Amino acid sequence: MPQVAADPTSTQARRSGLAFWWTMFVGMLLVILGLLIGAGGAWLIALGGSWYYLPTGIALLVAGALLMSGNVAGIWLYVLTWIATLAWAYWEVGMDGWGLVPRVLAPTVVLVFVLLTLPAFGHGRARRLGDGGYAAASAVVLVLACALGLHHFTVAAQSQEAPAPTGSPVPNQASATAASGQTDSTVHPAGPDWPVYGGSELAARYSPVKQINADNVSQLTRVWDFHTGDMPDKAAKDKYSPENTPLEVGGHLYACSAKGIVISADAATGKEDWRYDPKVSDDAIPYGASCRGVAYYAKPGASADQPCAARIVWSTLDARLIAIDAMNGKLCTDFGQQGIVDLTQGLGKTVPGWYSVTAPPTIVRGIAVLGAQVQDGQAEDAPSGVVRGYDVVSGKLVWAWDMGHPDRTGAPPEGDTYTRGTPNMWTVAAADPQLGYVYLPLGNAAVDYYGVDRKDFENQYNSSIVAIDVTTGKPVWHFQTVHHDLWDYDLGSQPTLVDVPTDAGKVPAIIVPSKQGQIYVLDRKTGKSLFPVEERPVPSGGVEPDKLSKTQPYSGYAHLDQPVLTEKKMWGMSPLDQLYCRIQFRQAFYQGEFTPPTVDKPFIEYPGYNGGSDWGSVAVDTNDGILIANYNDMPNYNQLLPREKADQIGFKSIEQGGGSQKSKDMGNPQMGSPYAIAVNAGWRLSTGLLCSEPPYGHIRAIDLKTGKTLWDEPLGSAVNNGPWGIPSMLPLDIGTPNNGGPLVTAGGLIFIAATTDNKLRAIDIKTGKVAWQTDLPAGGQTTPMTYEVDGRQYVVIAPGGHHFMETKVGDDVIAYALPKG
C-alpha cells in the first residue's frame, strides 16, 4: 500500500497552535505572579520593607501582557527581570545557598517556561535558533542558574561571643548519711553498664567503652530488637512521644514505654525477662505520653536473694511513684503503699493530665528526688511545682522543697497544700553524691507569657538551677538564667557535672545549657560562674513594661544563639511565600532576643521555646575535654490574646474540660491572667514550611576548657521534610529541628538521632563528619545509650517518634553491635 507523505503545512500548524497556547499560558502565569508579587510588594513597602517586589511584580505583569499580545519583547523583559533578580539576590545574601533558593530557584524555572515560548515568534532571532537551538539555550541557562542558586547548601553556623548571671552561693556541706540510714556517696559511672539515665549521676552522657570506634563503626549492624507493645489508640495518636533512654545493669536492660510500662530484657539478646504495666489511662496523658527513663537502686549490703534488693523506681503520667523488684518486676511491698506512693498528696485540686511525671527520679544518698510536669499555660492557680525527696527503700517522704514555704521541710498541714502555681522541675536533675547536692533545673511559674501576678519567690527562682542539700531539702545556692521569664525559657536540659580544666587546675563544675542558647559553667559547690557573665540591656515594652527585667544574663563561656533576625533572613520555597514571611516579619514586634510579649500585634520569640538546648541536653567527652551540643535554631511567632477574644475562640483550661480544638491548636488559655497566648512554634506557614532560613538544627563541638567552637555542622537531612507534609526525599543536609540528646564514647564517636529524618548517626568527634548512619523504623526523638556484655559493645536506642516533631510513632527498642569474630 503506498505511503502518504505527512503534510508539512498541517504539522507546522499543529506546532504553531501548541506554541500559541503555551505562550498564552506562560503570559497568564506571569500576569498572575505579577499581580500577587506587585500587590504584596506594595504592602511590604508600606510596612517599611524591601522595594524589590513591587517593581518586579510590575515587570512580570507587563512581560505577561506582552507575551499574550504576541510581542517578543515580553521574553526579553522577563530575561532582564531575571538578571536583575540574580543581582538583587547576590546583594542580599551573597553565595548563601539556602538564602538563594527562594530568590532564584522559582524565577529560574519560570525563565525556562518563558524561553520555551520562542517558537511562537517564528521569525528573526527566534527562528534562527531553530527547534533544537532554543531548547539548548534554555537548558544552558537553567544549568547555570541552578548551579548559582544551589551551590554550597551547607551553611556554617556563625558563632558570637556572649556573657551570664551570678548566683547567690550559700555553701553548706551536706551530711553523708541518707534518710534510710544507709551511707552511699558513691557515683555510679557508665562503663560496662549504663546504670543511670545520664550515664551516671553526673550526667555526662559519656562512656569509656570503645570497642566501636571511628575505624570500624561502618561495620555496625542491627543485632536485636523488641517491641514494648505500647502504641497509641485513636484517641491518643497525636499525643505520643516516648523519649525513652533505657538503663543496663549486670546484663539486664530496663526500658519504659510511653505510658510507663517497664520491660526488662536480656541485654545481649533482647529477649524479654518480665514486664510491669502500671495501667495508665489515656486521660492522664499531658502534653505528650513520655517516660524518659527509670532509676535503678541496689540496697547496700543486701543479699542478692532478698526481695527488692535491687529495684527499679519510676513515676507515671498519673502521678504515682512505683518501686518494683529489678529481678522479677514484682512490686516492692516495703515501699509506700504496697509498692506505690501517691504523688497527688498535698497538691490540692488537679485533674488527670495536669500534674504528671515524665522524667526518672534522681537517686542520691538513698533519696529519690523528683519534680513533675505541670501542663504549661493552663491557669495561674495550678498544682504546685514542689520538688520532693523520698526514701528509696521505704517510700516515705523525707523532705519537700516548696519555695512558697521555706520554713517547711515536709508535707503541708492537713487542709493546706503546697504553694500553687510555682515553677516546677519537669526534666531530670543531676547530683553530686560525694558533695551531697542535687541540682534542680527549674521551669517557669504556671503561666509562661504573663508575669504581673507572680510572687517574689517565683521571680527569684524561675528558670534557675538550684542546688539542694539532699539530706535536708534546703537550697544551698541558685543561679538564674532568665530574669522575669516571659518566653517559656525554662531549663529543660539536665545539667552536666564535670571537672573543668582551668589555669589553676581542675574545678568541680556544673554545665547548664539553656533554651535561649547560653551555656553557663558554674562552680558546683558555690554556684559562682567560672566565666564572665554579662548583664546586657534587653528590649522593653509589651503589656508589662514596669515588671520586665532591664537586663538578661549572657554567658562568656559559649552560646548557641545566632545573630538577630532580619527581613533578609525570611525564607520560603518561592518568592511568594518568602514575600509573605517578609510581610509577617514587618507586621510583628521584634527588637532582638527577649522581645517582650505584645497584644496589639504579634511578637517574634527567637530562639523559640524549643531551644537552643532542650531536654536532650549535652554530652561531654571527659577524657579529651570536648562538649557536644545539638541545638535548634528557629523562632516562634506569638501573640497575646485579650481574655474576651480568647473566650470567643473557646479557650478553656484543662480544669474546665479543655477548650475548643481551634484554641488548642492556637496556644494556651492562661486562665487567671488577662491574656491567652497564641503560639506558632517554629513560625510555620500553612504549607508546613518555616519562615526562617535553614539550617534549623545543628550539632557543635566545644572546647571544654575555653568554650571555643571546634566545629559546627547542620544536623539532619531534608528527606522527610517538604511542603504540606510531603517528603521531599532530598538527601540535603538542611539541618532539621531535633529533640533528643547525644551520646559520646571513648571510641571517638558521637551517637545521635533526634532529627526528623528518622536516622541514627555516628559522628567523628574530631571532625564532625558522619562516619555511619542507619534508618530507624520511627522518629529518633530520644537519646541512645551504650554498654558492654561479654566483651561486646552494644549501642541501644528506643525510637518512639514524637507528636510535636511530627515523626512516625513506634515501639521498638533496637541494639547495634559489630559482627562477632
Side-chain angles (χ1 to χ4, degrees), residues 319-535:
R320 288 176 287 160
L321 178 63
I322 303 176
I324 56 178
D325 194 313
M327 293 298 101
N328 55 37
K330 294 180 179 180
L331 286 167
C332 297
T333 55
D334 59 348
F335 182 88
Q337 297 295 316
Q338 297 299 307
I340 299 174
V341 172
D342 178 7
L343 297 176
T344 65
Q345 293 178 347
L347 292 182
K349 62 180 179 180
T350 186
V351 295
W354 201 355
Y355 186 91
S356 306
V357 186
T358 59
T362 298
I363 299 176
V364 57
R365 295 198 177 189
I367 307 294
V369 180
L370 67 155
Q373 174 184 324
V374 181
Q375 191 171 158
D376 275 353
Q378 297 302 302
E380 289 184 337
D381 183 23
S384 177
V386 61
V387 177
R388 290 174 278 190
Y390 292 87
D391 186 298
V392 73
V393 175
S394 69
K396 292 180 180 178
L397 180 67
V398 179
W399 52 258
W401 180 54
D402 176 359
M403 66 180 68
H405 290 284
D407 54 318
R408 296 178 184 170
T409 56
E414 189 172 347
D416 199 356
T417 67
Y418 295 113
T419 308
R420 294 180 65 80
T422 52
N424 63 78
M425 182 186 74
W426 58 266
T427 188
V428 190
D432 185 335
Q434 296 174 340
L435 194 59
Y437 292 171
V438 61
Y439 301 92
L440 314 179
L442 293 189
N444 218 335
V447 170
D448 288 307
Y449 295 93
Y450 184 76
V452 170
D453 300 329
R454 292 177 188 165
K455 302 174 180 65
D456 289 344
F457 55 81
E458 292 174 326
N459 283 324
Q460 179 183 5
Y461 284 111
N462 78 265
S463 303
S464 293
I465 189 78
V466 183
I468 297 285
D469 180 328
V470 75
T471 58
T472 66
K474 294 292 187 180
V476 180
W477 57 258
H478 81 281
F479 178 94
Q480 190 167 60
T481 62
V482 183
H483 310 318
H484 196 72
D485 183 0
L486 297 176
W487 303 272
D488 197 9
Y489 283 160
D490 47 9
L491 288 174
S493 298
Q494 181 184 28
T496 294
L497 312 185
V498 295
D499 292 339
V500 171
T502 69
D503 293 338
K506 290 188 174 182
V507 176
I510 178 170
I511 298 172
V512 184
S514 68
K515 288 185 175 182
Q516 65 271 26
Q518 303 297 313
I519 299 177
Y520 307 97
V521 181
L522 318 174
D523 185 316
R524 65 178 182 254
K525 295 179 182 178
T526 67
K528 292 182 177 179
S529 179
L530 300 180
F531 293 83
V533 171
E534 179 186 355
E535 288 286 345

Side-chain angles (χ1 to χ4, degrees), residues 226 228 244-247 253-257 261-265 294 798 813:
F226 67 82
T228 68
N244 180 246
T245 298
L247 304 184
L253 184 131
Y254 303 99
C256 63
S257 72
I261 301 171
V262 176
I263 298 124
S264 173
V294 299
V813 179

Side-chain angles (χ1 to χ4, degrees), residues 128-141:
R128 288 196 297 273
L129 282 170
D131 290 341
Y134 79 87
S138 302
V140 170
V141 172

Side-chain angles (χ1 to χ4, degrees), residues 33 35-54 88 92 103 566-572 574-590 601-604 637 639 683 685 691-692:
L33 291 175
L35 288 171
L36 292 173
I37 292 174
W43 190 3
L44 185 59
I45 289 174
L47 293 169
S50 171
W51 280 70
Y52 160 78
Y53 294 91
L54 177 58
W88 166 77
E92 278 214 320
R103 294 168 172 86
T566 64
E567 183 192 317
K568 293 179 181 180
K569 282 293 183 181
M570 297 303 99
W571 205 68
S574 73
L576 287 174
D577 44 357
Q578 189 194 38
L579 171 58
Y580 182 60
C581 289
R582 284 178 181 253
I583 290 170
Q584 284 196 332
F585 178 83
R586 289 291 178 177
Q587 288 178 315
F589 181 56
Y590 179 61
K601 60 172 63 177
F603 69 96
I604 297 172
Y637 196 79
Q639 186 170 4
W683 191 356
L685 296 167
C691 266
S692 60

